[in-house]
C-alpha cells in the first residue's frame, strides 16, 4: 500500500537482504550505547551516526554481474537478445547521483545537529518512478536501437521480492532533499554513458559532465524553494 518507511520492522528472507537489516540493527545499538548515551551528552561529545538506504541505483560505469542494467548493455554490445529474470518485479529506480546528493545533505545535518539527525533515512525516487523490470528493459532497448530485442529467461532463479519501494517523505520534509532527475531522464543519461563507452569516447569526461549537470539542476531546484 505504501513504500517502506524508516520505522518499518527489519526483515529479509535471504542472507543478502537480511544482512542489510542486521547492519541497521547493529548501527542502532552502537549509536544508542556509545554515541548518543547520557554520558556523552553530558560531556558534549555527541557523535551523529546515521544509516542511509537508497533505492535501486543505476548509472554509467556499473559492470556488476547479475544486475539488470549492466546485463542489458552487455547483451546490446554483443548484439544479443536481452534476457530478463523477473519482468513484473517492481523496483524504486534512481540514478546513482540521487542518493549520493542525499548522503551529502545528511552528512551536513549530522555535523550541525548530531542528536537531531542520527537516525535511519530513505533516499528513493518519486512514487511514479517505481517501475517493473519489463518497463525498464523496453525503454533501454528502445533508446539503444529499434532492432534491439528482449525475452524472459525461463530458467529457475533464486527468490526475489516482487515489490520494493521506499517512502522518502522524511528526507523531503527534514533534509529538504528530493529527486532531481526523473526516471525518463535517468534512463537517457544511462544510455548516453554506455553508448559513449561502446563508441570509444572519453567516458571520464562524460561522467564529470553529467555530475556537473546534475549539480547545477540541484542548485536550481534549491534556489526555487
Amino acid at each position: 500500500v505504501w513504500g517502506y518507511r524508516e520505522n518499518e520492522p527489519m526483515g529479509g528472507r535471504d542472507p543478502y537482504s537480511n544482512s542489510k537489516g542486521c547492519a541497521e540493527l547493529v548501527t542502532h545499538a552502537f549509536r544508542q550505547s556509545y554515541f548518543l548515551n547520557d554520558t556523552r551528552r553530558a560531556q558534549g561529545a555527541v557523535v551523529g551516526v546515521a544509516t542511509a538506504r537508497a533505492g535501486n541505483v543505476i548509472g554509467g560505469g556499473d559492470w556488476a554481474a547479475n544486475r539488470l542494467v549492466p546485463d542489458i548493455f552487455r547483451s546490446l554490445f554483443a548484439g544479443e537478445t536481452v534476457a530478463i529474470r523477473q519482468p513484473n518485479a517492481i523496483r524504486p529506480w534512481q540514478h546513482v547521483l540521487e542518493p549520493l546528493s542525499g548522503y551529502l545533505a545528511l552528512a551536513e545535518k549530522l555535523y550541525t545537529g548530531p542528536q537531531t539527525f542520527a537516525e535511519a533515512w530513505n533516499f528513493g525516487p518519486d512514487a511514479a518512478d517505481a517501475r517493473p523490470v519489463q518497463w525498464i528493459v523496453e525503454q533501454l532497448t528502445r533508446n539503444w536501437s529499434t532492432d534491439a530485442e528482449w525475452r524472459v529467461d525461463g530458467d529457475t532463479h533464486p527468490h526475489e521480492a516482487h515489490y520494493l519501494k521506499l517512502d522518502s517523505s522524511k528526507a523531503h520534509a527534514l533534509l529538504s532533499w528530493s529527486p532531481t532527475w526523473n526516471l525518463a531522464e535517468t534512463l537517457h543519461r544511462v544510455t548516453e554513458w554506455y553508448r559513449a563507452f561502446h563508441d570509444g569516447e572519453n567516458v571520464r569526461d562524460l561522467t564529470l559532465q553529467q555530475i556537473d549537470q546534475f549539480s547545477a539542476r540541484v542548485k536550481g531546484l534549491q534556489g526555487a524553494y
Side-chain angles (χ1 to χ4, degrees):
V1 178
W2 56 75
Y4 289 109
R5 300 165 179 167
E6 287 88 347
N7 60 355
E8 301 280 0
M10 294 290 102
R13 59 171 281 180
D14 58 273
Y16 173 71
S17 301
N18 194 274
S19 69
K20 296 181 180 182
C22 291
E24 295 273 358
L25 294 171
V26 168
T27 303
H28 176 79
F30 270 81
R31 177 170 55 232
Q32 299 306 120
S33 297
Y34 302 112
F35 297 108
L36 289 180
N37 61 27
D38 293 338
T39 301
R40 294 193 67 85
R41 286 192 179 95
Q43 295 172 344
V46 172
V47 176
V49 179
T51 51
R53 312 162 184 172
N56 282 50
V57 296
I58 57 178
D62 183 0
W63 300 108
N66 298 315
R67 279 175 54 80
L68 178 65
V69 171
D71 285 350
I72 288 174
F73 283 103
R74 274 190 285 264
S75 296
L76 293 174
F77 287 1
E80 299 172 350
T81 299
V82 176
I84 60 174
R85 297 188 299 271
Q86 303 286 346
N88 298 317
I90 297 171
R91 298 290 182 267
W93 310 98
Q94 61 183 163
H95 196 280
V96 65
L97 294 177
E98 302 285 4
L100 293 180
S101 70
Y103 300 164
L104 290 172
L106 174 58
E108 182 178 10
K109 293 291 188 181
L110 284 170
Y111 180 78
T112 58
Q115 295 189 66
T116 304
F117 297 94
E119 300 175 345
W121 298 85
N122 289 343
F123 297 98
D126 290 334
D129 288 338
R131 295 277 191 163
V133 167
Q134 180 174 331
W135 190 90
I136 298 295
V137 72
E138 287 175 346
Q139 298 299 311
L140 287 177
T141 52
R142 186 180 301 121
N143 288 350
W144 185 259
S145 169
T146 55
D147 298 329
E149 298 180 343
W150 64 274
R151 64 177 178 83
V152 176
D153 183 349
D155 292 342
T156 301
H157 299 284
H159 170 267
E160 296 182 50
H162 172 71
Y163 183 81
L164 293 178
K165 185 178 178 182
L166 288 179
D167 183 334
S168 303
S169 301
K170 182 173 147 183
H172 296 178
L174 301 181
L175 300 180
S176 298
W177 176 87
S178 60
T180 299
W181 287 343
N182 62 26
L183 186 53
E185 183 163 5
T186 291
L187 295 181
H188 166 72
R189 300 285 183 167
V190 169
T191 305
E192 177 184 47
W193 195 98
Y194 282 100
R195 188 180 297 281
F197 179 89
H198 179 264
D199 294 344
E201 299 177 13
N202 189 324
V203 290
R204 182 180 187 276
D205 287 349
L206 176 59
T207 301
L208 294 175
Q209 179 185 0
Q210 289 187 347
I211 292 172
D212 287 342
Q213 292 168 341
F214 179 88
S215 300
R217 182 79 66 83
V218 170
K219 291 177 182 178
L221 291 173
Q222 290 174 340
Y225 293 137

